[in-house]
Amino acid sequence: MSGTKPLPVNKQMVWNAYRKVKANKGSAGVDGESLEDFEERLRDNLYKIWNRLSSGTYFPPPVKEVEIPKANGKMRKLGIPTVGDRIAQMVIKDYLEPRMEAIFHENSYGYRPNKSAHNALQQTRRNCWLYNWVVDLDIKGFFDTIDHAKLLLAVGKHVSEKWVTMYITRWLTAPVQKADGAVKYKTGKGTPQGGVISPLLANLFLHYAFDQWLTRNHAGVKFERYADDIIIHCKSHKQAEYVLGKLRSRMQECGLELHPDKTKIVYCKDYRRTENHEHVKFDFLGFTFKPRSTKSPKDGRLFLGFDLAISVKSGKKILKAIRQTCFQRWTTTTIESIAAEVNPQWRGWINYYGKFRPSSMWYLFHNFHKRLIMWVQNKYKLLRSKIREAYKFLRKIQKANPTLFETWKHGFLATGL
């Protein structure tokens, strides 16, 4: 049946896209339809997407705009497409990704198959040991300021199919529905941060705006890029200033702007690098790189190195999440139920932030266990004024079941005295 359609979108492509969207989960768009609602009429809904995509009649609905708080107290705007639109976008993303992967730079890590934030962090760590200076780049409002005309020029270099360009254009120009219900139409700029195809298009834009340009014009520097988060490594302060100056001009040519306050030159200070400089640390992907006491793998001696660990901002987010759980008040539940509730979140935090210097997370473990002690004292009246006895009670549970909590699996003892 799909052979009768004018465009080469088949049902298997739609099914594969649906499975990926389902795995990624996500909330409802402007239509209020959740993934569970969509699945109640799964066959009909997938058929509708296939029928419209394959005939050229698919038009995306408005994108739902939501705001989430940033670390600086401001709000970040995210765009949430409907479930059906996420599937449609995934179809085109899957169709385009292999050819884009063939041209993308090896030091571009964001939202790419077989690459991760940990890969980017590991490479950043190595380069900080080899290069004395870093340019920490921040592109102001990147996703909101991508120029559609320039982006479509980049698309045109690799996409000859007019129907693919047509759908990309429709997604770029899809209206945004704000929280108050007002509908805002695009004016030739921006792609929703939250759209399925947006990261691929953003990577393509920055491939030409940054990756290729830097490689061609400044071969003596190294870089890591994760979407619009970029770190550049330079041999000298003079080289860093020169590259940064050229980058400001390059970003302007591409319709972008470097954030004047967040973009900075950083000195990777350690026992070998003893100069003084205004900036000796930077944040990247939830970690802070800075001078740290480091143990030599050869003889165990301590020295001043330049290394990474979970950032203060990331730690504050975790502490806030722990507070919001309020499990210390769940006096009618069991400790096993608490573990079942909090372990998935802790597993994610430990797997990500514990990759480098896991001991830097122990203050978070300690905060969590203080609240666990509060639960013990709230649940058992005899222990309310006896904190030592409460700790002994918790240690007894830990001894009997040392893998009950994720924090216990990593060697944290239930003690705070």
Side-chain angles (χ1 to χ4, degrees), residues 134-159:
V134 153
V135 180
D136 180 12
L137 286 188
D138 187 283
I139 302 175
K140 191 174 181 179
F142 171 67
F143 281 89
D144 295 330
T145 55
I146 293 179
D147 186 281
H148 291 178
K150 290 181 172 64
L151 175 56
L152 289 172
L153 279 175
V155 170
K157 285 179 174 287
H158 307 282
V159 179

Side-chain angles (χ1 to χ4, degrees), residues 358-370:
S359 61
S360 64
M361 295 188 69
W362 278 47
Y363 78 98
L364 301 172
F365 293 2
H366 182 67
N367 183 279
F368 169 70
H369 282 82
K370 282 171 61 178

